[in-house]
Amino acid sequence: MTNAATARPAPDTAQPPAGDTARRPRTACVVMDIDGVVVDFNDAARQLLGHHPEEVLGRPMSEVLIPARLRAAHEAGLRRYRETGQAPLLANRFEVPARCHDGTEIPVELFINRTVHEGRPAFAGRLRPLRRPASVPAELHLRADFYRALVEQSPIIVAVLDDDGVPTWHSSDAGGVFSGDGRTLSDQLVDIVHPADLQKARAALGRAVHEGLDDAVELRVNADGSWRAVSLLARNLLAHPAVHGTALYVTDITRARAAERQAQVEAARLMTLIESLNVAILLQDEQRRVVLANAAFVEMFSLGVTPERLRGTGGGASSSPLAALYADAEDVERRTEAAIRRGRALRGEEIPLIDGRVLERDYVPIMLDGSTLGFLWVFRDITAQAEIRRGLEERARILSDLATLKTEFVGVVSHELRTPLTSINTFATLLEEDAETLSADERTAAMTAIRRNTDRMLGLVADLILLAKLESGELVLEESTVGVPALVRAAAGASESRHVDLRLDLHDGPELTGDGGLLAQLLDTAIGVLVVGSSPGAEVVVSAGPVVHAETTGCVEPAGSAEPKADGWRVTVRTSAADTATAERLLSTRLPHPDAVNERRTGALAVMLARAIASRHGGGLAIAVREPGVELTVDLPIRP
């Protein structure tokens, strides 16, 4: 009949059919089909409730026997039975109010069971009048107080709406949200809900009354004169016998939203600060997924996406989009992993990019209570500073070379001048002191020695002048195109190589633009100094070929079809000389003078001139001892 009442369940397995019930006049019996229509009404029921059968038969049970406040619960119970087959009130006794013919209500004990009427499922309800109020055990009083205290003391506001949407009850601390003036909650919304949330509140209330609200709806309400943020949930309990209404659960989330707002403000301030920096910022979580990146980071690495698109992306340096930009991604990943393992801040680490730029990277681990929460990386483009530093380093190297050259120059000049000056001084003294005792041939020999040493000094002065002009750039080069292999062959043929095994390893390549005479003198010195300074039987290998220099690739590689275009020549002279073939010995050797027949210059002066010639052509010359021999290298650029 209904499932709305204060339940006092009592097991009862008897299910008498409608016909049997009707034959027991002492028990009032009403039969209702599954559509809620009265199909049988016995005389005992008439005597109990005052209705004549013809007044109730064929009419909905809810209209004649059920109080108005319980009709919605009754209809909901029938609807649930038709949809699910569930009827939790069957075979139990309940105390409910029944509506009499004159409109009054009497308390009755109701027992409902299933039956059949004219072949269709039906429900038979037996009613007995209650002679006295049922006593409630003390235990039930305590349990009721227990649940009441939990609801009343809860920080969540609980309210109940009847089937018309009028608030019928709310917990004691409702904060002035619900009014008891008899209006429906829908009519009260305009007074309690913020105007901007009014439409959302009405839609939520409509769903709450019909189907409940399982997903919380956030609203701003006027509670005691101030706007509060609340979260609203609802349960449709119209079919629940103890509630008969829609339950609303309102949680004050003002502090939580204020905290969220403050966090958003702080985040906005921090993001504004980060975006204003002219350095790239990357923040990763403990799994190295991107949490935050600023616009400078995207621009620095030319990623072509917004910073927001990077959030959630992850991976190490070798698998991230940055890997293609690093000159050595594996080295960057190795250093990154090492920094993370150490767990200490890292400052000023340089990372070269493939496009030639140089970045400086800082790393700061984000820690809380000893646990790593993430990683902060800061990148700065220091390409200009790196170029300046390299320039300063190059200037320092040049100054160091100049100091070395100065020392070499002083030593070479002192040696070159000491020998002829000593000879001149000796023969001049001899002519001065022993002129009368010397024969004519002896005087002639002395004068010849003086003249020869004088010419030697003039040659030395000429070499020094040439060296000065080469180093100062005053010497005008007589430029033409020359073939390096031909120059090497000519220099090897002119060398005094009878005591060594001289081999050539020459490769074809583009011609050089330079002063042919000076370049020939350079290669004469490069090959001659090692040939003359090598021990008898030593193997001297001269190799020459085009190369790609460090200025374009960072290393020197032989030029090939699969390599970048050659930009220079490298001539290398190696000797497998005996243990006496040191750099000092080579520099002390004497080589034929290119401009004076029967004259020689020391290896030291010859090498200084050769180095100056190479430098004047934009190249360089270096000598290194490589056990068990010596290696001399000449680099010359190919100029357009």
Side-chain angles (χ1 to χ4, degrees):
M1 175 180 174
T2 179
N3 58 355
T6 303
R8 182 169 59 84
D12 190 333
T13 58
Q15 298 183 4
D20 292 346
T21 304
R23 289 194 294 269
R24 296 176 62 187
R26 290 181 299 175
T27 302
C29 182
V30 181
V31 180
M32 173 188 71
D33 65 13
I34 60 173
D35 294 321
V37 176
V38 178
V39 295
D40 193 7
F41 193 84
N42 71 356
D43 189 61
R46 180 189 62 77
Q47 294 178 13
L48 176 64
L49 301 175
H51 297 283
H52 291 281
E54 61 271 14
E55 295 176 341
V56 296
L57 292 175
R59 295 179 62 189
M61 174 78 75
S62 59
E63 290 184 3
V64 292
L65 301 180
I66 298 176
R69 67 182 182 279
L70 303 181
R71 289 171 185 170
H74 168 77
E75 297 292 344
L78 279 175
R79 185 168 56 253
R80 180 170 58 185
Y81 177 80
R82 288 193 295 266
E83 293 174 353
T84 66
Q86 297 178 359
L89 301 186
L90 289 177
N92 287 288
R93 298 183 187 278
F94 298 92
E95 297 175 5
V96 296
R99 185 171 178 271
C100 298
H101 181 266
D102 60 3
T104 61
E105 298 178 7
I106 62 171
V108 298
E109 182 185 71
L110 172 65
F111 179 87
I112 305 173
N113 63 347
R114 290 188 181 91
T115 187
V116 177
H117 178 76
E118 296 181 355
R120 297 184 64 203
F123 299 98
R126 290 184 293 169
L127 297 80
R128 288 193 178 96
L130 293 176
R131 302 303 180 185
R132 54 184 177 79
S135 61
V136 179
E139 180 182 351
L140 294 182
H141 277 300
L142 291 175
R143 185 171 296 275
D145 291 341
F146 171 77
Y147 289 120
R148 184 181 299 108
L150 288 181
V151 173
E152 295 294 338
Q153 299 302 320
S154 172
I156 299 175
I157 300 173
V158 182
V160 177
L161 308 181
D162 64 14
D163 54 349
D164 294 324
V166 177
T168 59
W169 179 89
H170 59 74
S171 52
S172 59
D173 188 16
V177 175
F178 300 103
S179 171
D181 57 7
R183 291 184 298 162
T184 64
L185 183 58
S186 179
D187 293 334
Q188 297 179 34
L189 290 179
V190 69
D191 298 327
I192 60 177
V193 176
H194 193 282
D197 297 341
L198 193 57
Q199 184 176 356
K200 179 169 64 171
R202 285 172 174 160
L205 183 59
R207 295 201 308 273
V209 171
H210 291 92
E211 59 191 50
L213 284 177
D214 293 327
D215 298 325
V217 175
E218 294 187 10
L219 304 169
R220 287 166 290 180
V221 300
N222 187 351
D224 296 332
S226 62
W227 291 109
R228 311 289 293 178
V230 299
S231 172
L232 174 65
L233 289 170
R235 296 288 183 271
N236 187 331
L237 302 178
L238 288 170
H240 196 286
V243 179
H244 314 307
T246 301
L248 305 181
Y249 305 92
V250 182
T251 304
D252 190 335
I253 58 173
T254 304
R255 290 185 178 179
R257 292 298 172 263
E260 290 181 4
R261 174 61 180 172
Q262 184 62 30
Q264 292 172 352
V265 170
E266 295 298 332
R269 291 172 178 168
L270 179 61
M271 198 62 200
T272 302
L273 174 62
I274 291 175
E275 289 294 349
S276 67
L277 299 175
N278 58 354
V279 296
I281 302 293
L282 176 65
L283 180 62
Q284 296 176 312
D285 63 15
E286 66 276 11
Q287 301 298 325
R288 294 184 65 182
R289 294 185 295 262
V290 176
V291 176
L292 181 147
N294 64 351
F297 178 85
V298 172
E299 181 180 357
M300 180 176 291
F301 289 97
S302 303
L303 298 180
V305 297
T306 62
E308 291 75 17
R309 291 287 301 275
L310 292 177
R311 291 177 183 170
T313 60
S318 59
S319 60
S320 72
L322 307 183
L325 303 176
Y326 294 135
D328 189 344
E330 292 184 359
D331 177 65
V332 174
E333 175 67 6
R334 187 166 49 251
R335 287 190 283 165
T336 299
E337 293 292 344
I340 292 175
R341 283 195 303 271
R342 286 193 298 269
R344 297 192 301 271
L346 183 66
R347 307 286 184 183
E349 182 184 41
E350 290 192 8
I351 298 179
L353 300 186
I354 197 170
D355 60 5
R357 290 181 296 156
V358 179
L359 304 184
E360 185 179 68
R361 181 177 72 170
D362 296 344
Y363 161 69
V364 180
I366 302 173
M367 309 291 292
L368 179 64
D369 297 331
S371 299
T372 302
L373 301 182
F375 316 102
L376 174 64
W377 306 92
V378 181
F379 297 86
R380 289 176 291 275
D381 190 335
I382 60 166
T383 304
Q385 296 92 316
E387 291 178 354
I388 293 173
R389 186 182 65 248
R390 284 196 295 268
L392 292 175
E393 291 173 350
E394 179 64 16
R395 291 186 63 183
R397 185 191 64 78
I398 293 174
L399 291 174
S400 177
D401 290 345
L402 288 176
T404 303
L405 288 174
K406 177 182 177 181
T407 302
E408 292 179 0
F409 176 78
V410 172
V412 168
V413 171
S414 298
H415 177 75
E416 293 287 342
L417 290 176
R418 184 182 301 112
T419 301
L421 286 176
T422 300
S423 297
I424 292 173
N425 183 63
T426 299
F427 285 109
T429 301
L430 181 63
L431 290 174
E432 179 183 5
E433 296 179 353
D434 301 324
E436 295 180 357
T437 60
L438 294 177
S439 65
D441 291 339
E442 290 175 333
R443 285 196 297 273
T444 300
M447 293 300 296
T448 300
I450 291 174
R451 188 175 295 108
R452 184 176 63 252
N453 282 284
T454 302
D455 292 340
R456 184 178 176 184
M457 291 181 62
L458 290 175
L460 174 61
V461 171
D463 287 342
L464 294 177
I465 293 173
L466 174 62
L467 179 62
K469 288 184 176 181
L470 286 170
E471 292 181 344
S472 66
E474 295 180 12
L475 182 66
V476 179
L477 300 180
E478 299 179 1
E479 291 188 339
S480 63
T481 56
V482 295
V484 175
L487 291 178
V488 172
R489 291 189 188 96
S495 65
E496 300 173 345
S497 58
R498 289 185 298 274
H499 66 292
V500 299
D501 180 14
L502 180 61
R503 294 192 300 109
L504 301 182
D505 179 19
L506 307 179
H507 300 270
D508 294 332
E511 292 184 328
L512 284 177
T513 300
D515 191 312
L518 291 178
L519 291 176
Q521 182 177 336
L522 164 61
L523 295 179
D524 286 344
T525 300
I527 297 173
V529 72
L530 258 70
V531 168
V532 174
S534 297
S535 300
E539 181 184 54
V540 178
V541 179
V542 181
S543 60
V547 294
V548 179
H549 283 85
E551 286 76 7
T552 57
T553 66
C555 59
V556 177
E557 297 288 347
S561 59
E563 300 294 335
K565 185 178 179 181
D567 63 354
W569 276 86
R570 169 162 286 189
V571 179
T572 303
V573 186
R574 299 183 183 89
T575 175
S576 62
D579 55 358
T580 55
T582 62
E584 288 78 6
R585 176 186 171 186
L586 293 177
L587 295 178
S588 65
T589 58
R590 301 190 66 82
L591 303 177
H593 198 290
D595 299 324
V597 181
N598 298 325
E599 288 293 331
R600 290 176 175 268
R601 60 163 66 114
T602 63
L605 181 57
V607 169
M608 289 185 67
L609 284 168
R611 182 180 292 162
I613 293 171
S615 178
R616 184 68 176 83
H617 285 80
L621 181 149
I623 299 177
V625 177
R626 304 188 186 279
E627 296 295 340
V630 177
E631 179 179 284
L632 186 149
T633 303
V634 176
D635 281 310
L636 294 170
I638 298 175
R639 293 181 294 161

